[in-house]
Amino acid sequence: MRNQEKDYSGVSVQALWRLPYYLNYIKSLDEAKYSCISAPIIAKALNLNEVQVRKDLAAVSNSGGKPKTGYVAKELISDLEEFLGYNSVDEAILVGVGHLGKALLSYQGFENCGLNILMGFDKDEAIIGTNVCGKQILPLDKLKDLCWRMSVNVGIITVPAKEAQMICDMLVEAGIRAIWNFAPVHLHVPDYVLVQNENLAASLAVLSKNLTESLKEK
Amino acid sequence: MRNQEKDYSGVSVQALWRLPYYLNYIKSLDEAKYSCISAPIIAKALNLNEVQVRKDLAAVSNSGGKPKTGYVAKELISDLEEFLGYNSVDEAILVGVGHLGKALLSYQGFENCGLNILMGFDKDEAIIGTNVCGKQILPLDKLKDLCWRMSVNVGIITVPAKEAQMICDMLVEAGIRAIWNFAPVHLHVPDYVLVQNENLAASLAVLSKNLTESLKEK
DNA sequence: ATTAAATCGATAACAAAGTATCGATATAGA
DNA sequence: TCTATATCGATACTTTGTTATCGATTTAAT
Ligand SMILES: NC(=O)c1ccc[n+]([C@@H]2O[C@H](COP(=O)([O-])OP(=O)(O)OC[C@H]3O[C@@H](n4cnc5c(N)ncnc54)[C@H](O)[C@@H]3O)[C@@H](O)[C@H]2O)c1
Ligand SMILES: NC(=O)c1ccc[n+]([C@@H]2O[C@H](COP(=O)([O-])OP(=O)(O)OC[C@H]3O[C@@H](n4cnc5c(N)ncnc54)[C@H](O)[C@@H]3O)[C@@H](O)[C@H]2O)c1
């Protein structure tokens, strides 16, 4: 529901979620001081179990670590980036250029993660023809043709919940292979299309439930 | 890393994530036609296992279901809402009123989920004093005092990654008990403070990894 | 009234993820 | 050079989460 189910390449879904944190942490280190980094140190920094870190790293890196010293930071970084696909760019389009859509369109950080959002689509005449951070906003009727022509694989849905399934169908029709869905609904897609849900309301529910329980404890 | 670890009230973390989808789905049904709803139907609609649905519902609802007919939709809705804490409001403040922060501040949907974002904080003079959807933007030096006075429990972090830990410390100092963190970094907090990470970059990594593998398959 | 079909709840089997342990090995310091 | 220690990788174990099965129960149709 939340994540993809399958675990590709021997890496579990949950492990995959941890990888960006490893990468981020290792990158944040002072290179001179930490040319090598060990599993226990990473584990401590990220509040994880040391064995888990070792296992996760083993799954994505052949570089291997040395007893006493740990792993070579540089190699880990490049292995993680390679594994996460940060080096190969996916082309994406976004549908629904409202508050959230605009935030995503203007975010630079995705480019470092191998996602290139080419343009936005909306049904609102007022916004069609404008651009957000240099990215054009186009009408929906251009969607299919452009996706085919530019071989876009990823579609981002930031329209209101009740429009989401319709837009989803349109994206599938346009040859999209993966959908990043921010609308709080379950989408129906053919088998060959991936859906990654980013359900902030669900996330919030988890937070508030835990908060309630945590406050109760005292 | 991604979620809270503990499973309160006999509901696993993963189950908790599914609950909002159940709620959403059941609410979307035509009341007249579906005054009762069965686990197999819900399972089919959300692409889940029937037994899992039954188990999840059993954990949050005492209403119980009847053979042949299923559960009473109305009761399920109210039990789910109650369990998820949608009836009791948490007060929140948000720090970092940039692209993403503005989107969150202007989103109405959180109110139905029991989250009330009172106001925003930023360090940028240009935005301080303005308001977003009726919510005031204040300078950081007002943060601590206001949080104490209004007994704010939830803090939302939407500042750049490198500022996040500092803001986090400030929130902890201000008595915040739960942090919803949108910056792609691991935050260090005392035991009694909850952190829910909303790491879009990590989410994207999962998506793009799966996409790559999925495209490879054919 | 009896029977057939659908669904429930409980239990049990299975699968996945996380953690502990242990021997092997590389390094730093005696 | 030798020894103590930190860390690795592999294996075994534990916990958590998912799925299958089965008897019991309710309803609707014969
Ligand atoms: N803003 C948030 O913080 C936030 C939080 C959680 C979830 N979400 C979800 O994200 C989605 C977008 O939220 P938002 O706050 O940006 O909403 P919004 O109303 O600001 O933007 C929606 C945009 O979609 C466009 N749109 C509507 N119907 C369309 C259609 N059929 N085709 C193309 N474009 C269409 C509208 O013109 C508008 O520009 C919603 O599903 C919402 O539930 C948003
Ligand atoms: N925009 C997105 O789509 C997106 C996606 C993924 C992650 N994020 C993360 O969310 C965070 C915010 O992203 P954004 O795109 O809104 O950035 P942004 O630059 O648009 O906004 C950041 C805001 O924080 C304020 N700020 C900076 N330092 C501050 C401080 N010390 N105290 C108070 N306010 C401060 C700035 O004035 C600005 O208003 C970042 O950590 C980013 O990595 C954003």
Side-chain angles (χ1 to χ4, degrees):
Chain A
M1 172 123 287
R2 171 107 202 257
N3 311 315
Q4 259 41 71
E5 332 68 30
K6 268 177 107 169
D7 65 329
Y8 296 109
S9 346
V11 178
S12 75
V13 182
Q14 346 257 349
L16 196 42
W17 275 97
R18 291 188 290 267
L19 300 183
Y21 285 90
Y22 296 146
L23 178 57
N24 180 63
Y25 172 68
I26 300 167
K27 270 177 141 175
S28 79
L29 296 172
D30 179 4
E31 261 191 64
K33 218 173 154 191
Y34 290 94
S35 62
C36 282
I37 180 82
S38 72
I41 292 179
I42 298 175
K44 205 164 184 196
L46 300 181
N47 247 289
L48 297 170
N49 178 287
E50 162 193 343
V51 180
Q52 186 171 55
V53 173
R54 222 174 272 130
K55 258 190 164 178
D56 288 348
L57 294 180
V60 302
S61 168
N62 307 320
S63 311
K66 278 193 202 164
K68 189 85 180 197
T69 49
Y71 307 83
V72 179
K74 258 189 177 171
E75 292 179 0
L76 274 191
I77 292 175
S78 96
D79 287 344
L80 280 166
E81 285 181 338
E82 179 59 31
F83 186 91
L84 290 172
Y86 285 9
N87 301 323
S88 66
V89 177
D90 290 318
E91 310 290 355
I93 57 106
L94 180 148
V95 186
V97 188
H99 290 104
L100 187 55
K102 274 185 198 133
L104 295 174
L105 277 179
S106 34
Y107 187 58
Q108 308 297 314
F110 294 140
E111 278 157 35
N112 306 322
C113 306
L115 191 80
N116 182 23
I117 308 181
L118 296 167
M119 52 210 158
F121 291 86
D122 207 289
K123 69 164 188 190
D124 184 354
E125 296 290 342
I127 197 174
I128 292 171
T130 66
N131 76 76
V132 174
C133 270
K135 284 160 187 166
Q136 273 205 294
I137 313 306
L138 304 170
L140 286 174
D141 54 37
K142 295 257 167 71
L143 194 151
K144 188 169 172 182
D145 183 49
L146 272 167
C147 286
W148 281 117
R149 281 221 322 270
M150 309 191 76
S151 63
V152 175
N153 280 321
V154 178
I156 305 174
I157 296 184
T158 47
V159 296
K162 61 181 188 307
E163 310 280 337
Q165 183 62 58
M166 190 204 87
I167 297 297
C168 172
D169 295 342
M170 201 180 280
L171 289 170
V172 170
E173 179 73 9
I176 288 283
R177 297 297 300 269
I179 291 174
W180 199 8
N181 173 40
F182 287 80
V185 292
H186 175 80
L187 297 176
H188 295 267
V189 294
D191 280 352
Y192 60 88
V193 175
L194 297 169
V195 177
Q196 171 89 13
N197 289 304
E198 205 66 43
N199 191 335
L200 297 187
S203 187
L204 179 56
V206 175
L207 180 71
S208 98
K209 182 71 197 167
N210 286 328
L211 174 60
T212 305
E213 298 292 333
S214 151
L215 292 175
K216 231 188 270 174
E217 270 175 21
K218 308 241 123 154
Chain B
M1 172 123 287
R2 170 107 204 258
N3 310 315
Q4 258 44 68
E5 333 66 32
K6 268 177 102 168
D7 66 327
Y8 296 110
S9 344
V11 179
S12 76
V13 182
Q14 349 253 355
L16 196 41
W17 274 97
R18 290 188 290 266
L19 299 183
Y21 285 90
Y22 297 146
L23 178 57
N24 180 62
Y25 172 69
I26 300 167
K27 270 177 141 175
S28 79
L29 296 172
D30 179 5
E31 263 192 64
K33 218 173 155 193
Y34 291 94
S35 63
C36 281
I37 179 83
S38 72
I41 292 179
I42 298 175
K44 204 163 184 198
L46 300 181
N47 247 288
L48 297 170
N49 178 288
E50 162 193 344
V51 179
Q52 185 171 55
V53 172
R54 223 174 270 129
K55 255 192 164 177
D56 289 348
L57 294 180
V60 302
S61 168
N62 307 320
S63 310
K66 278 194 203 164
K68 190 86 182 191
T69 49
Y71 307 84
V72 179
K74 257 189 177 170
E75 292 180 0
L76 273 192
I77 292 175
S78 95
D79 287 344
L80 280 166
E81 285 181 339
E82 178 60 31
F83 186 91
L84 290 171
Y86 285 9
N87 301 322
S88 66
V89 177
D90 290 318
E91 310 290 355
I93 56 108
L94 179 148
V95 187
V97 189
H99 289 105
L100 187 56
K102 274 185 198 135
L104 295 174
L105 276 179
S106 32
Y107 187 58
Q108 308 297 313
F110 294 139
E111 279 157 34
N112 306 323
C113 307
L115 190 82
N116 182 24
I117 308 180
L118 297 168
M119 52 210 158
F121 292 85
D122 207 290
K123 69 163 189 191
D124 183 355
E125 296 290 344
I127 197 174
I128 291 170
T130 66
N131 77 75
V132 173
C133 270
K135 284 160 186 167
Q136 273 204 295
I137 313 306
L138 304 169
L140 285 175
D141 54 37
K142 296 257 168 71
L143 193 151
K144 187 170 173 181
D145 184 51
L146 272 167
C147 286
W148 281 116
R149 283 220 323 269
M150 310 191 77
S151 62
V152 175
N153 279 321
V154 178
I156 305 173
I157 296 184
T158 47
V159 295
K162 62 181 188 304
E163 310 281 335
Q165 183 63 57
M166 190 204 88
I167 297 297
C168 172
D169 295 342
M170 201 181 278
L171 289 171
V172 170
E173 179 73 11
I176 288 283
R177 297 297 299 270
I179 291 175
W180 199 7
N181 174 40
F182 287 79
V185 292
H186 175 80
L187 296 175
H188 295 266
V189 294
D191 280 351
Y192 60 89
V193 175
L194 297 169
V195 177
Q196 173 89 11
N197 290 305
E198 205 67 43
N199 191 336
L200 298 187
S203 187
L204 180 55
V206 175
L207 180 71
S208 96
K209 183 73 197 166
N210 286 327
L211 174 59
T212 305
E213 299 292 333
S214 151
L215 292 176
K216 232 189 271 174
E217 270 177 18
K218 308 239 125 157

